[in-house]
Structure formats: structure tokens, C-alpha cells
Amino acid sequence: MSSASTEQIAPHMPPGLIPPNLETVPEELQQYPQWVVWKAVEKKKRDGTVKVTKIPHNPKTGRKASTGNPEHWGTFDDACEAYLMDGYTGVGFVFTADDPFVGVDLDNCFDESGNLRDDARRAVDELQSFTEKSPSGRGLHIICKGELPGDGHCDNKAGREMYQKGRFFTITADVVEGLGTVKAGGAALKALYSDWFGQSASNDASHTVGDLDWDPEAPLVSLDDIPIGESWKVLVRDGEGLDKFTDSAGRADRSTALLAVCEEMVSAGVNKESILAVLTDKEYFLASAALDRRGGNPESAKQWLWKYTLAKVLADWQEVVNLFDELPQLERKERVPVRRGFSFISGAELIANITPVQWLVERYIEANAMVILFGEPGVGKSFIALDVACCIATGEAWQGFPVKQGPVFYIAGEGHAGIGRRLGAWCRYRGVELGSIHVSTTAAPLTEWEAVKQVMRGIKAKVEQHGVPALIVVDTLARNFGGLDENSNKDMGLFVQHMDRLKYELETTVLIVHHTGQGNKDRARGASALKGAVDIEHRVEAKAGGTIALQATKMKDAELPEPVLMRLHSMDLGETGSSAVVVKADEFVDDPEPPMSKQQKEIWEILVQAMDDAGGDFLDNKALVERCGSQGISAARVSEARKHFEVQDLVTVVKEGKEIKIHRKDPILS
């Protein structure tokens, strides 16, 4: 038995499902390192009933598990610990060719009186091996030792399955009729297999997902009317842009593109019938990815596309939705229902339900929006982002404009010590307690879905005590991009999709701090997909006399407001050092102008960019001199600027032998 305590209860057990009894799991199964944990994903069918899909996960990493990859499994103890500590629905056992076990799965085999149907009764009586109730309580699992005439077989209509490899069973150990020991199935096992499936039954255990449930009454949406970007439609129609989707060898791959298109259509709320109809239409280039595998037969292609691509995409999307099912309702407004398909609403109804814009920061930041704050390095973007965050967390007006108070979650890519000083300076200047603001301890590679889910779980852990977040800040995009290419619309589109899911599932505002491009200071750096996706865009730029201007350049649902003029005001924090706060431009006019010449500012920008490119908070002085030299700046000027940065408490210079390393002391200055 596992060393993990069995007195704990997994927090994510859906109502009506039987939790596993870890104390009664057979010792014969515990000895094999073939265990996973699983999560229940509910799907509502057309008839109103709910179907539960069981998604296996690696108990050691938390990532989705494959029943064909031993690296995705763990020991029984691993599974027990993950189940008890991480909130999975249950534990599961994987059948392989190297173990002696066979699994018999009987669905819905109890009648209203609790009596077994005839075929189930026969299996229990003849096999006399370990028998348990399934998680739903309506079926049976029997595990015995033996060998099948084939690898496995499934009869959905009869509700019977037999497998000996390539599948996993959810284990409840809710033992039936005292049958708690795994025994040999012998001739009885082969007789059952022969009688149920016949000796000619297929050796291909093919049912990894449920069969396609096609709704003939579902509205079919044409490609032109599907609410996705034109680049996606061109990819489907003509294959343009296929080169962006490659296989492991770097070759353009239609199946990879097909997966990406399915994900985009599902996230846009398109029903499965429309997706399958479009992506198996012989008139479209991308449809050949499915048609070629099924001899050009559209109906067969739909089955293939459902089984190997779309069903999994829908399950992933549903998992995201389920992740937040238990979140409390927002006070700001009712939760928006999940987009489940294409439909129309009358113009009259839209007019009747017009609501005013909901502001998080009046006139400047909308509630439930995606916002970008961009500017050159060193201009003070992060100071402004932190000022906005603190005002929302405390309810303090931002630069004279009212805010909607609520919890804030700040995903900091770097400079955590610097953030601490800035928060201290802000509280001292305002004379208020900080409020509900939570800062990440590390950056998060937000182009990776597993990292996004970790962020979601981290936020959810705070929700019960602090409430649903009003704002999530990502500072900076570069530090939280996960090493992908900012200039790639594909990579940027992935980042945007993940940010949109954060915004959508939490009904919150996401504020992204970003840099300007190298050549064009009037736009954010990187692929154009970012600007196209955001609801609000603000540019931050330095003006004469130490003034900082915030200028709205995009406001989706309102008129562009007037620029906001600010300054950075230095605050002495005593023994902990000093920092600065954002104040109105007309305050503290006697403050000295930031002592940084035009050329020093240029060198600072090169330094920051070089550190971003290197992915760290330090840089060799030699590398800085070389970069500046390529821009026509002499080594003497670089040395002079480096000393100036050190005096201004922006960097720390460390000499290691003949090498000089420059460390950003407060790297959040961006």
C-alpha cells in the first residue's frame, strides 16, 4: 500500500463518482510501475445527459499521459500522492504487453434493482477475479491474468470491452462480492472473448475516444462565415502559410496545420459538425489531410478527423472550462457562457441589451479586456504598470481617474527585488496599505499551455480568500514568451490565444508590458498578430523635462482619451535603498531631470536589449562594447556610460579577473 495518507480526500471528485479506495487496491497491481492519475471531463450530449471522459495524466509531471509511453507512468505511490495532493479525480492502471493482466470493462450492467445483466453475471461468476465498480457505479471492471486471442476488442452497443495492452482502467477498488484478488482467467477468459466478439474479432483496439456523435440538425457554417482570421481561411482554402506548420523534421505538415486550425475553430465557438464539414470538403486544400487517409471518402474522413484530431481538441478545451467551474461568480457582471456554436441574435435584441462600457480604470483600461503597454527600454513602462496594479488593488484613483477595485496578479519576468522596493515606495508615498496584489516568484513561459494552466491553478488557489482577479499583469512579454520567436505570427498567435483564455475564463483584464521595435518606435515589437488581438493599446514615451506621456493608440470600444503626463519621483526607503513612484507631471517640478544624456540613453537601450537577447540579468562588458561599436559608439563612451549607470544605482559592475560583468540591479526598469 502507498505510504501516502489515505485520510485525505481529493478535492476535484465530481458529484456521483466513486472515489478510489487506495487501501483495497490489489497488491498484484501495486507492484507494477504502470500507474497514472486521471481527470473527469464532462460533456453534455444532445439528449441532455452528461458523458464523462477520463483523461489520463502523468502522476510525476501532471502532463497528459499516453498509454503507449512508459515515461508517462509512475509507481502506485506516485499515483496515490498525485491523487491526494493535486486534486485529480482518481488513479488508473495501464495494461501492457509485458504484464500478465487482462481487463474486462462492462458498461451499464446493473438494472434499477441493482441486479447484474446476464453477460456481466456470467463474467463475474466464471472469472472469479478482482471485480470493482466503475467510477460511475453503473459498470464493472474485472482484472484477471491471462492472454486474449487478440490484442483487444470493443463492442459499444453491447457495452463490453476486453483489453490486454494499450489501455488504462480507472481503479476504484470498490470491490464487488468480495472479489478483491487478481486470479488467472484460464479457459473462461478465452471462452468469453470468443462468445462476445468471435475469433475473427479485430486485433486493433481502436476506441481511444468516443464515436462521432453527428447532429443532423446542427447548423452548418461555411468557411467564409466561420469567425476566424482571414489567414486561417486562406490556409484552409489554398494552403497559403502551410510552411509555418512543420513536423519534427522541419517539413511543412498538413496534419500539424489541421490540428492548429481545429484549435482555432474550437476556440472561436464553431460546432463540430461545421468543422468536420469544412475540413473534409474536397474543394479545400487542407481537407486533403483527412481525405487522403480515407481514399477520398468524405464520411470516412470525418470519422478519421474526429478520432485523431477534433475529439482531443474539444477535450482540451473542455478541460480549460472545467478548471474554473468552481470559481465564484464575479461581482462585476454575470459570467459569459462558453461559446458552444454559431448562432444569430436579432438586432432589436442587441439594442435592447446595450450596456455602457465597464471601466477598470475610467477612460483608459476597460474591464475584461486585453491591453498592451509598450515603449522604449528605460522609459518607465513597468513603473506605470505597477502603479495601475497598486491603484486597482487598493481602490486608489489612478492619476485622478476612478478605478474598479479588485485583486491583482502580477507575473514578473525579472527584478523581483526591485518590485519589492517599488511596492514599498508606492505605499509610503500614498500612505495606504498595499491591498490584494500577488507577485509571481518566477517568470512563466506563457506560450506553453502547461505553464498557463499552472498560472490558472496558482490564481485559483488564492481566489477563495481574495476573490476573482480584476487584473493580471504580464511584465514583460519578452521575459514570459518561453523562448519562441516574437516575430513569428504563429508563435505570437499562440501567446495571444493563451492570454485570451486567461481573460475569458477568469473574466479579467490582462495587461501586457512590451517593448517597441528596434526600427519603429511607434509600434510594439514583434509580430503584428499582437496588435490585431488586443482591445486597448497604450504607448509610453519620454518627453522633455523628465515628463513621461501615456498615449492611447487603440481603443476598441471607446474614443481615444487624452494623453496622461507623468513623472518619476524618487523615494528614499532608508536602509533598503531607494526607488521611485509615478506622479502627475505637475507634481515635484523641482525634481532634477533624469541625469541621462541622449547617447547614454542609447547605450542603456542597447544594454537592456542585449540582456533580453541573452535571456539573463547580466552582460559581459566586452559584448556591450562590441554592440555599441557596431552603432558607432566608442569604447570610452561605453565606459563612461557604464560608470554613470552604476552611480544611478541601475547596475552593479563585478570584475572577475580580466572580465567585467554588468548586472542590472533593478531590471524591471523597462
Side-chain angles (χ1 to χ4, degrees), residues 269-462:
V270 184
N271 62 23
K272 68 178 185 298
E273 289 80 8
S274 296
I275 297 174
L276 293 172
V278 168
L279 297 180
T280 57
D281 188 334
K282 64 181 181 180
E283 298 297 323
Y284 297 139
F285 167 85
L286 201 60
S288 59
L291 290 168
D292 288 356
R293 289 167 170 81
R294 287 296 183 266
N297 185 324
E299 296 306 314
S300 182
K302 289 174 185 175
Q303 294 286 344
W304 178 88
L305 182 57
W306 167 256
K307 176 179 176 181
Y308 291 102
T309 302
L310 185 55
K312 298 176 183 178
V313 172
L314 286 169
D316 286 344
W317 177 253
Q318 188 61 49
E319 183 180 355
V320 175
V321 175
N322 288 350
L323 186 61
F324 292 92
D325 277 349
E326 298 178 0
L327 288 177
Q329 297 288 323
L330 292 177
E331 295 182 359
R332 300 190 298 274
K333 61 180 181 178
E334 294 183 359
R335 286 180 64 85
V336 177
V338 178
R339 296 169 289 179
R340 298 194 183 280
F342 184 86
S343 63
F344 289 98
I345 186 173
S346 71
E349 188 174 351
L350 285 173
I351 293 174
N353 289 280
I354 291 177
T355 58
V357 175
Q358 300 295 309
W359 293 107
L360 193 59
V361 178
E362 190 170 307
R363 297 182 61 193
Y364 289 88
I365 298 178
E366 199 175 331
N368 195 26
M370 189 183 305
V371 184
I372 185 170
L373 186 73
F374 75 94
E376 298 180 60
V379 74
K381 302 184 299 295
S382 292
F383 277 104
I384 295 174
L386 200 64
D387 186 45
V388 170
C390 290
C391 287
I392 291 171
T394 59
E396 291 280 297
W398 179 78
Q399 301 300 312
F401 297 95
V403 305
K404 176 70 174 181
Q405 186 176 3
V408 176
F409 290 81
Y410 203 102
I411 304 174
E414 58 184 2
H416 297 85
I419 292 178
R421 290 195 294 273
R422 292 181 184 187
L423 291 174
W426 191 92
C427 291
R428 179 171 294 187
Y429 174 73
R430 294 272 185 163
V432 298
E433 297 292 330
L434 188 58
S436 184
I437 183 170
H438 311 273
V439 183
S440 72
T441 57
T442 64
L446 297 175
T447 50
E448 300 175 12
W449 181 229
E450 287 299 324
V452 177
K453 289 196 290 186
Q454 286 183 6
V455 171
M456 289 179 175
R457 286 193 288 267
I459 293 174
K460 185 178 180 181
K462 301 277 188 184

Side-chain angles (χ1 to χ4, degrees), residues 576-643:
T576 58
S578 63
S579 187
V581 294
V582 178
V583 300
K584 293 181 179 179
D586 58 358
E587 294 187 41
F588 306 102
V589 293
D590 294 331
D591 278 358
E593 189 172 326
M596 191 179 289
S597 69
K598 183 177 180 181
Q599 189 172 70
Q600 288 170 344
K601 184 176 181 180
E602 185 179 357
I603 295 171
W604 176 256
E605 291 176 359
I606 294 172
L607 171 65
V608 172
Q609 184 61 53
M611 287 183 176
D612 281 346
D613 293 344
D617 294 332
F618 73 91
L619 186 71
D620 288 335
N621 184 67
K622 183 179 180 181
L624 178 62
V625 171
E626 290 177 351
R627 286 214 178 195
C628 289
S630 67
Q631 301 295 318
I633 303 172
S634 69
R637 293 297 186 188
V638 174
S639 178
E640 180 183 294
R642 188 190 73 226
K643 294 176 181 178

